[in-house]
Amino acid sequence: MSNAAKTPSTGSNNDDGPSAVHVEDKAAEAGSSKDEIGLYPDWPPLPKNHPILKFEATLPAVLQSAGANEIWGFRLRHIETDAKRRFQCRNILQKFLRANANNVDRAARQLIETLKWRSEFEAANTVFETFDKSRFERVGYITTIDDPNGDDGKAVITWNVYGSVKDNKETFGDVEGFLRWRVSLMEMAMKELNFCAGRRPIPDYGCGDDPYQITQVHDYLQVSFFRMDPSVRASSKRVIEVFRDHYPEMLARKFFVNVPVLMGWVYGTMKLLLPAATTSKFTFMSYGNQLAKEIGDAIPEVYGGKGAALDNINIAPKLGDKYVKFVENKEDGEGRVSS
């Protein structure tokens, strides 16, 4: 494998611009055919009683109840009259169906709550915001590595390097501020994953692996003091809940490396908040330099690989002297920032 990290698609230099134009809207504006764009392969034939078709039938009511339709860079609409967008929509619905064992009612409720949360939290805008350098410097990164099994020929990895935290209270004390930074990292990873332009259908629940998932690495080197810190506990719990509820089926594997023995509370907390199917993807490692044996040698040398150091990776939330919020103008689609 070779390291394939690249510049993130965020900020004023983004082709999409600060108004976060969605990929399917850009395609429509360009007037390209589906064959030219390659965004809309045919979905495999479905029997009349398939859960996806049942879920699609609820979509108008779901969108009305949610009062919002943006999810992971895609605008859900009444797909029965828009065949081009059906493939991407079905992949999104599959995420929620697989997370709920094909129970359409539960999947619909989770989708409603996710759409509401994304609208209220303005999750999509986090990738354009600037976060306080003193809180998050060297704490979070995103890398991509070659992976023939990935839909785009690559795998996406998020790195949370908690050994770089200088002050627990400063980084974790503002729970919602920490959550916003962590969501920004996740939303940027989703862009690298290119989920909403994917060309492979997600298999039905219980019928194969989902090709659109992200690997997470949490590095706890020299952070044994986390064990009793209430601010860390509170922020960790909040992030776990949000990711469980609003990013279903997005986790490929999760590695906890350089984990001291006294960090057992981490796994204990997660077992209480997450289903067994999720925690079964967790791996705890006492030594970070063993990670390459699990992921491959394209990762940084400090983790046993041959790739570039994380400090040389430029895919991460933007940092500055203070937090700067992105505010989108709903009328003209342009954006501005607000301290």
Side-chain angles (χ1 to χ4, degrees):
M1 293 186 181
S2 63
N3 197 328
K6 62 183 181 180
T7 303
S9 302
T10 57
S12 59
N13 294 324
N14 180 13
D15 291 339
D16 289 348
S19 57
V21 175
H22 299 279
V23 65
E24 70 275 13
D25 296 329
K26 289 187 69 179
E29 291 168 4
S32 302
S33 71
K34 70 177 183 179
D35 291 331
E36 291 172 330
I37 304 167
L39 292 181
Y40 308 105
D42 291 333
W43 193 273
L46 298 172
K48 291 183 179 181
N49 63 344
H50 195 281
I52 288 181
L53 298 180
K54 294 179 180 179
F55 202 174
E56 284 179 347
T58 73
L59 195 55
V62 165
L63 296 177
Q64 183 177 16
S65 179
N69 67 355
E70 185 279 328
I71 181 167
W72 309 326
F74 188 83
R75 295 283 182 186
L76 287 171
R77 299 187 183 119
H78 192 183
I79 53 87
E80 289 87 344
T81 60
D82 193 346
K84 282 187 175 182
R85 299 164 40 82
R86 186 169 296 156
F87 186 92
Q88 281 72 28
C89 180
R90 286 181 173 176
N91 262 346
I92 291 171
L93 299 186
Q94 278 286 64
K95 288 283 187 185
F96 288 85
L97 286 171
R98 285 170 65 105
N100 291 279
N102 276 347
N103 185 305
V104 175
D105 290 339
R106 289 205 305 264
R109 287 196 295 271
Q110 186 178 14
L111 177 56
I112 289 170
E113 292 307 311
T114 295
L115 292 171
K116 287 180 178 179
W117 174 79
R118 291 188 64 83
S119 177
E120 294 168 0
F121 192 82
E122 297 179 322
N125 288 346
T126 60
V127 300
F128 304 112
E129 297 177 352
T130 300
F131 295 87
D132 193 331
K133 184 176 181 179
S134 66
R135 296 183 65 187
F136 301 113
E137 186 176 20
R138 298 181 178 179
V139 179
Y141 302 89
I142 299 162
T143 61
T144 62
I145 61 176
D146 293 340
D147 180 6
N149 296 317
D151 184 69
D152 201 20
K154 65 182 181 181
V156 179
I157 306 170
T158 60
W159 303 79
N160 291 85
V161 188
Y162 291 127
S164 296
V165 173
K166 300 174 183 177
D167 185 318
N168 277 0
K169 293 294 189 295
E170 183 176 24
T171 298
F172 298 98
D174 174 7
V175 173
E176 291 304 305
F178 179 82
L179 174 64
R180 195 158 191 86
W181 170 84
R182 184 62 185 87
V183 166
S184 177
L185 189 71
M186 184 62 173
E187 292 288 311
M188 292 180 70
M190 292 287 292
K191 284 180 173 289
E192 296 299 318
L193 190 64
N194 209 21
F195 169 57
C196 284
R199 302 181 62 169
R200 290 169 59 187
I202 297 175
D204 290 342
Y205 171 71
C207 294
D209 293 334
D210 183 339
Y212 309 101
Q213 295 185 322
I214 295 168
T215 294
Q216 297 179 16
V217 177
H218 288 202
D219 188 344
Y220 288 91
L221 183 64
Q222 298 179 334
V223 290
S224 59
F225 52 82
F226 271 34
R227 184 172 65 94
M228 298 302 294
D229 194 309
S231 63
V232 176
R233 286 177 181 268
S235 288
S236 298
K237 183 175 182 291
R238 181 77 173 113
V239 170
I240 290 170
E241 291 171 341
V242 166
F243 278 44
R244 174 198 64 197
D245 295 341
H246 305 311
Y247 294 92
E249 296 293 296
M250 287 298 180
L251 179 66
R253 298 184 69 185
K254 189 166 189 171
F255 296 92
F256 300 83
V257 302
N258 296 313
V259 178
V261 176
L262 295 179
M263 285 286 288
W265 68 267
V266 174
Y267 187 56
T269 298
M270 291 180 177
K271 284 179 68 176
L272 293 175
L273 297 173
L274 297 171
T278 299
T279 56
S280 67
K281 298 178 179 182
F282 293 177
T283 299
F284 286 75
M285 307 178 70
S286 297
Y287 301 99
N289 61 9
Q290 301 297 308
L291 184 60
K293 294 180 180 179
E294 299 283 346
I295 297 181
D297 63 5
I299 64 176
E301 289 185 17
V302 69
Y303 298 104
K306 300 177 181 179
L310 290 177
D311 285 348
N312 295 327
I313 303 299
N314 62 353
I315 310 179
K318 184 179 178 181
L319 302 178
D321 292 335
K322 62 180 180 178
Y323 170 66
V324 182
K325 182 178 175 62
F326 178 89
V327 180
E328 185 174 0
N329 187 316
K330 303 298 183 181
E331 294 182 0
D332 59 18
E334 294 299 321
R336 62 185 177 85
V337 293
S338 174
S339 299

